[in-house]
Amino acid sequence: MDLDSVYRSEYGRCVATLTRLLGDIGLAEEAVQDAFAVAVHKWDETPPNPGAWIVTTARNRAIDRLRRESTREARHAQALLLHQPDESEEVGPVRDDQLRMIFTCCHPALSPLAQTALTLRLLGGLEVAEIARAYLVPEATVSQRIVRAKKKIRDAGIPYRVPDAAELPDRLTSVLTVLYLVFNEGYTSTSGELLRTDLCLEAVRLARALAELMPDEPEVIGLLALLLLTEARRPARVGPSGELVVLAEQDRSLWNRELIAEGHELVRRCLRRDQPGPYQLQAAINAVHTDGPATDWAQVLALYDQLLQHTPTPIVALNRAVAVAEVHGPAPALATIDELDLPGYHLLPATRADLLTRLGRTADAVAAYDEAITLATNDTERTFLETRRARLGREVRDEMTRSVHAVDQENVSATLTVAVPAARVFAVLADPTTHSAIDGTGWVQEPADRAPLTEVGQIFRMDMYHPNHPDGDYQVANKVQVLDPPRAIGWLTGQEKDDGHLEFGGIWRYDLAPLGPSETEVTLTYDWSAVPQSIREYLQFPPFGPEHLTNSLHHLAELVSGR
């Protein structure tokens, strides 16, 4: 285990242990950070019990710091530390330190964001930037909340302990939220690799401890069941190469049957109590996912209907839409999520991309995948989305290839639907500066005129050359002419005579058929009937083929979509 892995797995435990020894979260965190800094220089290899090494070093660093302090409180704290027994036992089995830390961080005097941010920082070892990305807020906001929270805990003398029975209800909701978020960070890490197994296992352990402390609280049992049933699927969540494997494609034989059995029993306990809450309903949904060889989506949808009544949030509505798609089809699910407002949440456009793909709206799906890829912060999730998008891109090209057909011996056309208005497509085609990027034949196009076309009959001229032509820099000329804005535009290609006319010209034509306010069917036709047979082979370099039409349409789709 390298030092970075030790930091990830032991940081929270060490801070919790030092907080118990020092009684000050800020001092404990600084001491642990100092200890890791020392480890960078002293560790040639990882010691047998790295957590105990960090705790002992951090304690010694804290004592050294307190000795330099001159206040009575510092000398008192030093005396307490000097009389503490050595922490030579394993740090991991220290049973309640982390639970005490959660209850301390979830004191009602702190704001909800401060509670969760402080816990994720201290217990999970997450950096401020990671927490900020998880909450879609600026880093400065998270940093300020954490600093203020630690100051309030210190100044108000908030005790580092599990509260008395009478105080538990005031903190329970926050504690459950924090455990849920810690597990989620482990199950889908904000950045880096997909999984942080240490956080998943720690969240499950703490949920068990909380269930022992509060066995009669249905939501506590519900959260434990939810974590167990989700953790049971973790071995199948990544493939052999570390790639993300979605639920529908997971190998169910890899699921942990013992955890599933335990989780199902806890769900049944919750059902007997008949006091449903958000965590119990989520646990029931996961129980359906893990019951039998396939998911009963109708039952999942019914449970999501109940959950949405308890917790009417956009994320619950998004998850419910997935179930709607399985039961009623992608169209009603898409209508649901199109009404949701989740700025910066990558799973919204990712889900939308999947639904659009199933509806055959390929161009829209590609654009949605692009948005999701931009928003995703986890490397594994981003790679998964990029793979799906690339597969869809290949399908788009295959679709265009299938659309290529010969009108007659001298005409070839291809069709593609793009998710942008016809006016946008026309504007790109009417802009002289875009044509070199659109052309799919390998010719270099340099506009002699740069003003876009706007009216019927307008023309701009382009010089074209192909650097690999057998005769060297072989040049031809294009004259692009508006035929019917914004529905048609085309151009002649050939050799320009002294009078400005083109000789031996082929005709390229784009016809734009609006399918709606934001969707256009583009048909590209090439007509070379005016080119004499004797010089067609000479002019057509490289040899013209259907792939040139599909390349041009593909390039056009990328331009009009802003990619």
Side-chain angles (χ1 to χ4, degrees), residues 435 445 449 453 457-464 476-483 489-503 506-508:
H435 279 255
Q445 305 188 20
D449 306 307
L453 304 180
Q458 275 187 300
I459 294 174
F460 67 71
R461 179 178 172 279
M462 292 184 299
D463 293 324
M464 299 175 57
V476 297
N478 265 354
K479 283 193 173 181
V480 181
Q481 181 175 13
V482 174
L483 304 176
I489 187 169
W491 57 84
L492 292 170
T493 302
Q495 293 177 318
E496 190 169 19
K497 300 173 66 177
D498 293 340
D499 59 5
H501 288 84
L502 294 182
E503 187 178 24
I507 299 175
W508 291 78

Side-chain angles (χ1 to χ4, degrees), residues 42-104:
K42 287 196 172 183
W43 285 8
D44 294 325
E45 58 183 28
T46 306
N49 185 1
W53 191 99
I54 293 294
V55 167
T56 300
T57 303
R59 180 186 163 204
N60 292 337
R61 301 283 290 191
I63 291 173
D64 290 342
R65 177 176 176 177
L66 290 171
R67 280 174 174 161
R68 294 193 296 269
E69 300 287 344
S70 58
T71 65
R72 178 180 299 177
E73 290 82 0
R75 290 195 297 272
H76 179 65
Q78 177 191 343
L80 286 176
L81 274 177
L82 290 172
H83 289 87
Q84 287 281 353
D86 288 339
E87 288 289 325
S88 58
E89 73 274 12
E90 294 272 349
V91 174
V94 176
R95 190 169 181 79
D96 292 326
D97 278 348
Q98 290 91 322
L99 199 59
R100 290 191 191 99
M101 177 67 76
I102 291 177
F103 274 104
T104 301

